[in-house]
Amino acid sequence: MEFVILSPFLIGFMIFSIELGIVTFRAVMLERGLDIAVRDVRLGTGTAPQHDQIKQRICDNTIGVLNCTEKLRLEMVPTDLRNFVTLDATPDCTDEAEPARPLREFTPGSQNQLMLLRACLKYRPIFPEAILGRALTKDTSGEAALIAVSAFVQEPL
C-alpha cells in the first residue's frame, strides 16, 4: 500500500531531477562557450570577428548541446558606461515555427568599446509534460530558451 501511495511522488521527483540536471548542464555549457568565445574576441588582434565566427566559436566550446549552430541566436550591441543602455528585455531567439528573421542587432564594435553580447539557445525538454517541463516557458514548437549574457571591452592593438 505504501508503494502505491509513494511511487508517483518518487518517480515525479526522479523525472524532475533528471530534467533539472540536463537544463543546468546545458546552461553551464552555454555560459562556458560564451565565456571562451568572448575571451577570444576580447584578446584577439586585428579586425573584430563577425557574427558567424563568434557563433561558431561559441558552438565549438559548448559541449553536449545538439544542433547548436541552428538553435543559437546572438545579439551584440555597443554601449557606453556614461550613458548605459542595456539589451532589450525580451531576447530574440530562434523559433522553428516562424520564418527566418534577420539579426536583431550585431555590431562588432571597435577598440576600447564596451560591448554587450547575448546568446539565446533553444532546446526541447526531455519530459515536456512533467513537473519542470510544464513550468518552463516554451514557444509554439515546444522549445524552451536558455539565455547567457556577457559584457566585454575589446582590447586595443
Side-chain angles (χ1 to χ4, degrees):
M1 185 65 149
E2 293 88 9
F3 177 76
V4 171
I5 294 172
L6 293 177
S7 63
F9 295 111
L10 292 175
I11 292 170
F13 180 73
M14 287 184 345
I15 289 173
F16 177 83
S17 299
I18 291 168
E19 186 77 53
L20 182 61
I22 292 171
V23 168
T24 303
F25 174 76
R26 286 178 179 151
V28 167
M29 289 296 108
L30 178 61
E31 287 281 347
R32 175 186 183 272
L34 183 64
D35 287 344
I36 292 171
V38 164
R39 183 178 186 278
D40 290 345
V41 170
R42 189 182 67 233
L43 297 177
T45 58
T47 61
Q50 297 301 312
H51 175 269
D52 293 338
Q53 294 168 325
I54 295 174
K55 186 174 183 177
Q56 190 59 48
R57 285 182 186 174
I58 292 171
C59 288
D60 288 346
N61 294 302
T62 303
I63 302 167
V65 176
L66 301 174
N67 302 325
C68 178
T69 54
E70 292 87 27
K71 301 290 184 178
L72 182 68
R73 191 163 177 95
L74 300 178
E75 181 179 359
M76 187 162 74
V77 295
T79 190
D80 183 12
L81 283 175
R82 291 163 188 79
N83 187 17
F84 188 77
V85 177
T86 187
L87 295 166
D88 188 12
T90 55
D92 196 11
C93 296
T94 59
D95 189 350
E96 288 180 353
E98 296 179 6
R101 295 177 291 196
L103 295 174
R104 177 182 264 179
E105 186 169 351
F106 194 87
T107 308
S110 59
Q111 297 178 29
N112 294 321
Q113 190 171 27
L114 177 64
M115 303 297 293
L116 296 176
L117 175 62
R118 176 168 48 195
C120 181
L121 179 71
K122 287 293 192 114
Y123 73 96
R124 191 171 304 280
I126 294 177
F127 305 107
E129 297 304 318
I131 298 167
L132 183 59
R134 275 183 295 191
L136 295 171
T137 303
K138 297 183 283 277
D139 62 11
T140 56
S141 63
E143 292 184 326
L146 291 174
I147 297 148
V149 179
S150 184
F152 65 94
V153 175
Q154 190 164 339
E155 297 294 327
L157 292 175

